[in-house]
Amino acid sequence: MPMADCRFEDVFKEHHKELEQFLRRQVNDPDMAADLVQDTFIRFKPLYEKPPGIQKVRAYLFRIARNLVIDHFRREQIRCTDSVPEDILDEIPTEVAGPEVRAASQQRLENIRAAVDQLPPRCRDVFIMSRVQGMTLAEIGLALNISPKTVFSHFTKALQLLKSQLDEGSGL
């Protein structure tokens, strides 16, 4: 079904069951699989509804789901430290940033978010797919129905614009 004729609800109905089966096989936990399906569609919806939209919906959904599975297992590995005795964890030196450092970090993060929001739409989509969602340039090309060379072009432009905007904002 062409994307222009497809409502988000139709996409959900069409792919929900297949995604859930895929995720059940990956995580071997029906409840976690159901949660990951919901997370997949939560991440997918804003991108689907933003023009020009996603051309290969199924591939894009499965890429998001796969990334969520990877994140899930990473979190599980981190949780394994809960089984480490407290006295061993107490021996690990920690550096806690002071309020000034935290405030500066927060401001820098806000500046980055604002700069990303100001990117041209296609550059922003490519940048987010690459840096936030962890997709390769080839995968982004498939999702957006453009060549990897064009994806690279958009990505390079996004990096140049971000650097320029952030350099201006910090007085470098």
Side-chain angles (χ1 to χ4, degrees):
M1 184 179 310
M3 197 174 114
D5 300 337
C6 234
R7 295 179 333 181
F8 179 76
E9 292 79 14
D10 297 332
V11 172
F12 181 84
K13 287 176 187 174
E14 182 178 344
H15 297 287
H16 178 270
K17 187 174 289 221
E18 184 183 15
L19 262 176
E20 190 163 15
Q21 290 171 349
F22 167 75
L23 289 166
R24 279 185 185 195
R25 287 190 304 269
Q26 298 297 311
V27 297
N28 201 23
D29 177 353
D31 293 331
M32 179 54 65
D35 288 347
L36 291 173
V37 169
Q38 295 302 316
D39 289 347
T40 298
F41 282 101
I42 287 169
R43 287 190 181 188
F44 175 75
K45 186 175 182 180
L47 297 169
Y48 181 75
E49 293 174 343
K50 181 188 273 185
I54 297 168
Q55 300 302 313
K56 304 211 182 218
V57 171
R58 183 181 180 276
Y60 199 79
L61 283 168
F62 275 83
R63 172 44 102 178
I64 292 172
R66 182 176 165 271
N67 289 344
L68 288 171
V69 167
I70 291 168
D71 291 345
H72 166 73
F73 285 118
R74 284 182 184 151
R75 283 190 303 276
E76 288 299 311
Q77 283 181 327
I78 291 169
R79 285 189 191 130
C80 289
T81 61
D82 292 342
S83 63
V84 176
E86 282 294 318
D87 56 335
I88 292 176
L89 289 176
D90 290 338
E91 293 175 12
I92 299 172
T94 58
E95 292 183 24
V96 179
E100 302 86 17
V101 173
R102 286 193 305 265
S105 295
Q106 185 64 33
Q107 182 61 48
R108 181 81 172 152
L109 183 58
E110 288 173 19
N111 291 345
I112 291 169
R113 283 187 185 137
V116 169
D117 287 343
Q118 292 176 10
L119 290 173
R122 187 55 66 122
C123 290
R124 182 179 52 245
D125 292 344
V126 168
F127 180 80
I128 290 171
M129 292 168 128
S130 173
R131 293 298 190 219
V132 176
Q133 297 170 358
M135 295 173 72
T136 66
L137 298 182
E139 292 165 340
I140 295 168
L142 286 173
L144 297 177
N145 201 23
I146 57 177
S147 74
K149 188 173 182 176
T150 304
V151 173
F152 181 76
S153 229
H154 287 299
F155 184 72
T156 303
K157 182 178 179 181
L159 289 177
Q160 289 170 343
L161 290 170
L162 286 172
K163 181 176 180 350
S164 171
Q165 289 175 10
L166 293 172
D167 286 350
E168 285 175 18
S170 65
L172 294 178

